[in-house]
Amino acid sequence: MQVPYNWLKTYIDFPYTPKELSHKFTMAGLEVENLEYLGKGLEDIKIGKIVEIDNHPNADKLKICKVDIGDKVLQMITGAPNVRVDIKVPVAEVGVTLPTGMEIEETKLRGKVSEGMICSKDELGLQEERASGIMILPDTAQVGERFVEFQGLDEYVLDLDLTPNYARCLGLLGIAREVKAMLAEPSEIDKPKIEIKEDRSDPIEDKAAIKIEDEELCPRYAGRVIKDVKIKPSPMWMQRRLKAAGIRPINNIVDITNYVLLEYNQPLHAFDLGNIKDGKIIVRRAKENEKVITLDEVERTLDQETLVITDPEKIIAVAGVMGAENSEVTRKTTDIFLEAAYFEPTSIRRTARKLGLPSEASHRFERGVDIKRVIEAGNRAAYLMQQYAEGTVAKGVLDNYPLPYQDNIIEVSLAKINRLLGISLEKDKIEEMLKRLEIEVVKKAEDLLKVKVPSYRNDMEQDADVIEEIARIYGYNNIPTTRPKTNEVGQRTRKQKIEKQIKNLMNSAGLDEIITFSLTGPQDYKDLMLPDDHRYKNWVSIKNPLNKAFGLLRTSLLPGLIDSMATNAKRQIEEVKYFETGRTFLNQGHRKRPLENTKLAAGSMGAGQDIWDQDASDFYYLKGALEELFARLDLTDQIEFVRGDEVFMHPGRTADILYKGVKIGVLGELKPKIIDNYDLKDRTAVTEIDLTTIFEEVKIGDYLFEMLPKYPAVDRDLAIKISEDVPVMEVLNLINNTDDTILKETELFDIYQGEQIPEGQKSIAFKLLFQALDRTLTDQEVNEVVNNIVNKLESEYEAEIRKK
């Protein structure tokens, strides 16, 4: 809502400057998004009159002009083709800086002095394209007058960012009420002038009639008839105010309806009465697939949920949204039927969205207008048409009001007011503040107030709304700041502590944390080429999504993670390492709540090091990060990586992650086709783990420390040849389970296939670390364990010790 400062002051006198008013509004809950001075850069431009013109002696196309600016006459040189004697023009003196940034200086043009500039529209920033000549002002302009005042640009505009509960402030009278409530000294609002001279010989009943067929959607519909109007431009003062408020002037009739809309927050519509059959207005629902061509010359197909205004033959308007082309006011129009109505807000909102027709009218109707002020707003417009369209107002008003407004009475206790606001207010003080808001106290008891809500305050429904109004007028900045009292010190829950630890560990492994949307769409899963029965397709659907692309709750973190990696890949980012923790939601059907799980997902693309020489650096990078994570969480002994299968991952390059034999996650490279679809690098790898079990199993609390061993460690290298089909993890588990007394650590340090290794086999090498806490180990003790390991490997996997 754009609020012209000077226009607002015509309704109520207040002592605030534009900047002070902006602050007052913001502190009262009406956020001011921007404060703009319309004449910025034009403050020093004056109106001058060209009194004499001579040809330049040294230039054929230049003219030497004498310009009277009131207190002096200046010599200016111009090449404008439309310059002539006795015209009024905008003038910039020496020292003035134009909106374009040009600074006016005294100059010599071909030997003659120019003491300023006669300006064109583009030089004043009033149009973008280059003007063909200087700007010529109407004869009503006064010599020496400030240009901004004559043009109506000496105006500040406050751009209010109004939430839906401030619908009353979509009109200047509503904003004037807010100003009145802010003032320390009582002040009255100057209501707009309404002095209608009706033609008593011509009653409105002889010219028009109203019938409402759906009273729920239209509780009130009123109309007036204005005869013999003359369609012409509206007065300049009205045009200037409309422009300042962001509305383009059209003609006097349309401008008047828009002017009253901005005054009263009451949309009006002017019909050409001559195009309404028999003058009969019918308010009804549209028929299914009924069509109408609206004022924007587009044919609209309607349904039975749409409220329309018709005559006995045709639709003449989509109620509350836009008029029809067949009843538009044109230059040939002589008689006007002026509509002022109240339409049910939800119906208008639904219609405007369905037809894609947001308008100034629908914006107000769908938030609710003042049903009691319908007639007053119509009368104000009729008066202005009488004044500025030379119309004659027919006697009387048609007012079909089947569902009269019922006053809303709200009870609020004094104790609750002071408890919620944390202050101590007396009953009389509260009543005084409510009175400033035009909220009437109809009954007082010892600790209870009954208040009557004004008809324009449709946002007030319960006692909390009344208390909010008291807080606004008291001043949010005057309410003391206190901290909530509690007997407990805030801290993270056990689950939050573990999740924080997991995030820190993933960060330390070199992965960056991302956060993706919990809402997703079918396309995200289609890109993973999932079958219809895949578990990720047990979606929870949103009933009324704003966008189909965000109509589902995610079942996995991977689609969002992969999409984020793809976005970076398309921007030529060479290396991407991401992780995310977040909730997923699985549909359990049978009206059950969705199953919520916290998961960890990670992805790697373009990892630099390939220490295993397997061309799988991303896979092993993620596996290493997970192994370090499990080690830090003290879960390593129960974790296994086994050959797995996942439809969107590369067969043979996928591992299931088991905890105590139960699958908790998956790690693998994406299928080449999926990598191509997302424009990722080859061999991109991802992982996803369900953290539910980890949250239950991880121990947190005091750290346990061990004494450093007094006795030296002994290490042995063990290299074996084994079938290439045997997973290294199985071999590692076998080694670790052979001895739990002196074998302290097993580290894989080499995997090799090539020369000296038979086809179908691979060489794997481990470093074994042996240590005892109470003695120095002998070679015999170590060799005995190593021999047991070798024997098991030979027995289980037909492994051979590699000699060289």
Side-chain angles (χ1 to χ4, degrees):
M1 175 67 183
Q2 293 181 211
V3 182
Y5 175 84
N6 290 327
W7 188 0
L8 179 62
K9 290 206 78 170
T10 63
Y11 302 111
I12 186 167
D13 188 30
F14 51 86
Y16 311 125
T17 65
K19 190 173 182 179
E20 290 170 342
L21 183 63
S22 174
H23 177 72
K24 286 281 186 182
F25 276 158
T26 300
M27 295 306 295
L30 285 79
E31 182 183 354
V32 178
E33 197 171 55
N34 186 40
L35 175 62
E36 178 187 8
Y37 180 64
L38 296 182
K40 186 176 181 181
L42 302 174
E43 298 93 330
D44 298 322
I45 305 298
K46 292 183 178 181
I47 295 175
K49 179 179 180 181
I50 299 176
V51 295
E52 182 181 325
I53 298 176
D54 291 320
N55 293 324
H56 195 295
N58 303 318
D60 293 339
K61 294 184 178 181
L62 296 180
K63 304 285 186 182
I64 301 174
C65 302
K66 299 291 185 181
V67 184
D68 180 6
I69 62 170
D71 56 347
K72 54 189 167 183
V73 176
L74 300 175
Q75 177 173 291
M76 299 181 186
I77 299 175
T78 180
N82 60 337
V83 65
R84 62 181 186 272
V85 175
D86 290 338
I87 60 173
K88 307 285 181 63
V89 292
V91 173
E93 294 182 75
V94 173
V96 171
T97 300
L98 299 179
T100 58
M102 179 190 297
E103 187 173 341
I104 306 301
E105 299 177 346
E106 183 174 296
T107 59
K108 276 191 176 183
L109 295 174
R110 299 289 182 92
K112 295 295 182 178
V113 174
S114 181
E115 300 174 301
M117 176 187 282
I118 304 172
C119 303
S120 61
K121 282 189 176 182
D122 60 303
E123 289 165 340
L124 296 175
L126 300 179
Q127 68 180 40
E128 292 185 7
E129 65 274 11
R130 186 172 178 81
S132 58
I134 58 173
M135 183 178 184
I136 299 176
L137 302 176
D139 290 337
T140 53
Q142 299 296 314
V143 173
E145 184 181 3
R146 294 176 67 218
F147 177 76
V148 289
E149 292 179 357
F150 176 75
Q151 289 291 107
L153 297 174
D154 189 23
E155 176 70 281
Y156 284 88
V157 176
L158 296 89
D159 191 357
L160 302 185
D161 184 14
L162 299 175
T163 52
N165 60 313
Y166 278 93
R168 64 189 182 278
C169 293
L170 289 169
L172 280 115
L173 287 173
I175 296 171
R177 292 191 200 102
E178 294 294 314
V179 175
K180 176 183 176 182
M182 296 175 191
L183 296 173
E185 296 295 327
S187 181
E188 293 302 317
I189 294 173
D190 293 328
K191 292 186 177 180
K193 187 176 182 180
I194 303 174
E195 294 179 359
I196 298 176
K197 298 176 182 177
E198 296 181 340
D199 181 359
R200 297 189 174 277
S201 65
D202 194 5
I204 192 172
E205 290 81 6
D206 293 344
K207 292 187 170 294
I210 298 170
K211 179 182 180 182
I212 300 176
E213 293 186 359
D214 195 313
E215 298 174 353
E216 293 293 331
L217 298 188
C218 181
R220 189 173 195 181
Y221 192 98
R224 295 213 70 144
V225 170
I226 302 93
K227 308 176 296 176
D228 303 324
V229 297
K230 292 180 174 58
I231 310 299
K232 57 185 178 180
S234 55
M236 286 305 300
W237 64 265
M238 183 178 290
Q239 291 189 40
R240 289 167 183 163
R241 288 182 179 179
L242 290 175
K243 287 178 183 177
I247 292 182
R248 179 174 61 90
I250 297 174
N251 60 47
N252 53 350
I253 300 300
V254 175
D255 291 355
I256 286 169
T257 60
N258 284 330
Y259 189 84
V260 176
L261 173 140
L262 292 173
E263 276 189 319
Y264 282 84
N265 184 34
Q266 173 63 56
L268 305 170
H269 189 75
F271 296 98
D272 186 330
L273 183 61
N275 291 331
I276 300 176
K277 183 174 176 57
D278 301 330
K280 292 182 178 179
I281 298 289
I282 303 169
V283 186
R284 62 170 173 84
R285 290 176 183 261
K287 300 171 185 175
E288 198 66 31
N289 295 322
E290 196 169 5
K291 299 182 186 299
V292 62
I293 298 176
T294 47
L295 288 172
D296 56 358
E297 300 180 355
V298 176
E299 185 178 70
R300 313 278 178 179
T301 302
L302 312 178
D303 58 26
Q304 294 179 356
E305 295 299 314
T306 305
L307 189 69
V308 293
I309 314 299
T310 75
D311 66 12
E313 293 182 341
K314 60 187 179 296
I315 295 176
I316 58 175
V318 179
V321 178
M322 186 176 285
E325 190 179 48
N326 55 32
S327 59
E328 179 183 8
V329 173
T330 68
R331 289 186 176 277
K332 297 179 180 179
T333 300
T334 57
D335 294 347
I336 297 289
F337 178 83
L338 181 65
E339 167 196 280
Y342 179 95
F343 300 117
E344 200 277 322
T346 304
S347 168
I348 302 303
R349 180 166 57 250
R350 188 183 297 120
T351 297
R353 287 188 178 183
K354 193 180 298 179
L355 298 180
L357 266 180
S359 63
E360 291 287 344
S362 67
H363 183 71
R364 287 162 172 79
F365 275 130
E366 65 189 39
R367 285 161 174 75
V369 299
D370 185 357
I371 196 170
K372 283 191 171 183
R373 293 286 179 94
V374 166
I375 298 295
E376 184 179 337
N379 285 341
R380 168 66 169 164
Y383 165 73
L384 292 173
M385 290 180 189
Q386 170 187 285
Q387 295 297 109
Y388 301 107
E390 302 176 39
T392 302
V393 182
K395 178 186 175 184
V397 179
L398 296 178
D399 183 15
N400 198 329
Y401 195 5
L403 297 178
Y405 173 78
Q406 301 296 320
D407 287 329
N408 181 18
I409 305 297
I410 298 176
E411 292 185 357
V412 58
S413 75
L414 186 65
K416 188 173 182 179
I417 293 171
N418 288 322
R419 176 170 57 82
L420 288 183
L421 300 184
I423 54 181
S424 181
L425 289 175
E426 298 294 333
K427 192 185 305 179
D428 291 343
K429 179 65 175 176
I430 293 172
E431 186 175 2
E432 185 269 329
M433 285 190 285
L434 292 175
K435 184 178 179 181
R436 286 160 63 184
L437 288 164
E438 299 184 8
I439 299 173
E440 181 185 354
V441 177
V442 294
K443 185 177 180 181
K444 289 187 288 184
E446 185 176 347
D447 187 49
L448 189 71
L449 294 174
K450 283 189 177 182
V451 301
K452 183 167 72 173
V453 178
S455 56
Y456 58 84
R457 292 301 306 268
N458 50 37
D459 59 300
M460 295 181 65
E461 298 176 350
Q462 54 186 328
D463 59 354
D465 299 322
V466 178
I467 296 172
E468 181 184 0
E469 293 304 299
I470 294 170
R472 286 198 316 114
I473 300 306
Y474 183 78
Y476 295 126
N477 54 322
N478 294 323
I479 298 175
T481 302
T482 57
R483 293 183 178 180
K485 293 182 179 180
T486 177
N487 296 323
E488 297 182 5
V489 178
Q491 60 181 0
R492 290 190 178 99
T493 64
R494 180 179 183 279
K495 179 179 174 182
Q496 289 171 333
K497 289 178 180 178
I498 298 171
E499 190 171 355
K500 180 65 176 176
Q501 188 176 2
I502 290 171
K503 290 182 179 181
N504 289 340
L505 291 170
M506 296 302 285
N507 274 140
S508 64
L511 291 99
D512 295 318
E513 184 179 6
I514 63 171
I515 300 174
T516 60
F517 290 120
S518 296
L519 295 176
T520 183
Q523 184 62 42
D524 295 329
Y525 295 88
K526 185 178 179 181
D527 292 340
L528 292 179
M529 299 188 295
L530 302 177
D532 291 338
D533 59 349
H534 196 277
R535 66 187 184 281
Y536 285 174
K537 289 195 172 182
N538 291 333
W539 294 316
V540 177
S541 299
I542 306 299
K543 281 187 176 181
N544 186 27
L546 294 176
N547 189 317
K548 289 183 180 179
F550 300 98
L552 306 172
L553 290 175
R554 65 184 175 189
T555 54
S556 169
L557 303 181
L558 288 177
L561 177 91
I562 295 170
D563 187 62
S564 296
M565 295 173 70
T567 299
N568 284 274
K570 290 171 184 176
R571 286 164 172 74
Q572 308 301 315
I573 305 299
E574 294 295 322
E575 185 176 354
V576 177
K577 297 173 182 177
Y578 283 159
F579 82 93
E580 179 179 13
T581 61
R583 290 189 178 184
T584 61
F585 307 84
L586 286 177
N587 191 345
Q588 300 189 89
H590 306 294
R591 296 183 177 273
K592 292 183 180 178
R593 288 177 61 88
L595 179 64
E596 295 186 34
N597 288 317
T598 302
K599 293 191 176 182
L600 164 68
S604 175
M605 178 189 74
Q609 293 183 325
D610 187 16
I611 60 174
W612 300 112
D613 196 24
Q614 299 287 311
D615 190 26
S617 55
D618 292 307
F619 178 93
Y620 284 115
Y621 171 76
L622 288 181
K623 184 171 182 288
L626 292 177
E627 287 176 337
E628 183 64 20
L629 173 67
F630 295 137
R632 294 294 186 93
L633 296 177
D634 197 23
L635 300 174
T636 300
D637 293 345
Q638 305 294 337
I639 292 290
E640 293 180 80
F641 291 85
V642 301
R643 191 182 301 276
D645 181 32
E646 181 57 74
V647 292
F648 54 87
M649 290 184 175
H650 196 298
R653 298 177 185 171
T654 302
D656 288 339
I657 304 171
L658 308 183
Y659 178 76
K660 293 183 179 180
V662 178
K663 181 176 177 180
I664 63 168
V666 65
L667 164 67
E669 294 179 357
L670 294 172
K671 279 184 176 179
K673 189 171 182 180
I674 293 175
I675 287 176
D676 290 342
N677 288 344
Y678 280 98
D679 292 329
L680 299 169
K681 284 190 173 184
D682 292 343
R683 309 297 292 266
T684 295
V686 297
T687 183
E688 184 173 52
I689 299 171
D690 188 344
L691 297 178
T692 305
T693 304
I694 292 177
F695 287 147
E696 295 171 355
E697 296 290 328
V698 168
K699 296 177 182 178
I700 59 173
D702 296 334
Y703 289 97
L704 299 177
F705 299 92
E706 291 182 347
M707 292 292 294
L708 290 173
K710 296 180 180 179
Y711 302 96
V714 178
D715 60 65
R716 293 281 193 275
D717 289 346
L718 177 63
I720 60 173
K721 290 185 288 186
I722 197 168
S723 171
E724 66 180 1
D725 295 329
V726 177
V728 175
M729 191 72 188
E730 290 187 20
V731 178
L732 189 62
N733 288 337
L734 183 146
I735 294 172
N736 288 330
N737 292 331
T738 300
D739 180 89
D740 60 358
T741 56
I742 63 173
L743 179 59
K744 297 300 182 183
E745 189 175 312
T746 307
E747 180 184 350
L748 173 71
F749 68 85
D750 184 52
I751 301 176
Y752 175 71
Q753 286 179 288
E755 293 182 8
Q756 302 178 351
I757 303 299
E759 188 175 349
Q761 290 191 320
K762 62 186 174 185
S763 168
I764 52 179
F766 300 93
K767 183 180 289 294
L768 310 179
L769 183 71
F770 299 90
Q771 194 171 38
L773 295 175
D774 57 351
R775 66 189 186 281
T776 300
L777 293 174
T778 64
D779 286 344
Q780 182 180 351
E781 290 177 291
V782 174
N783 290 339
E784 184 177 338
V785 176
V786 172
N787 290 335
N788 286 339
I789 292 171
V790 171
N791 291 336
K792 279 192 173 185
L793 290 171
E794 290 174 345
S795 174
E796 292 282 340
Y797 302 114
E798 299 180 355
E800 297 179 33
I801 300 296
R802 186 180 173 193
K803 304 297 184 182
K804 57 180 180 178

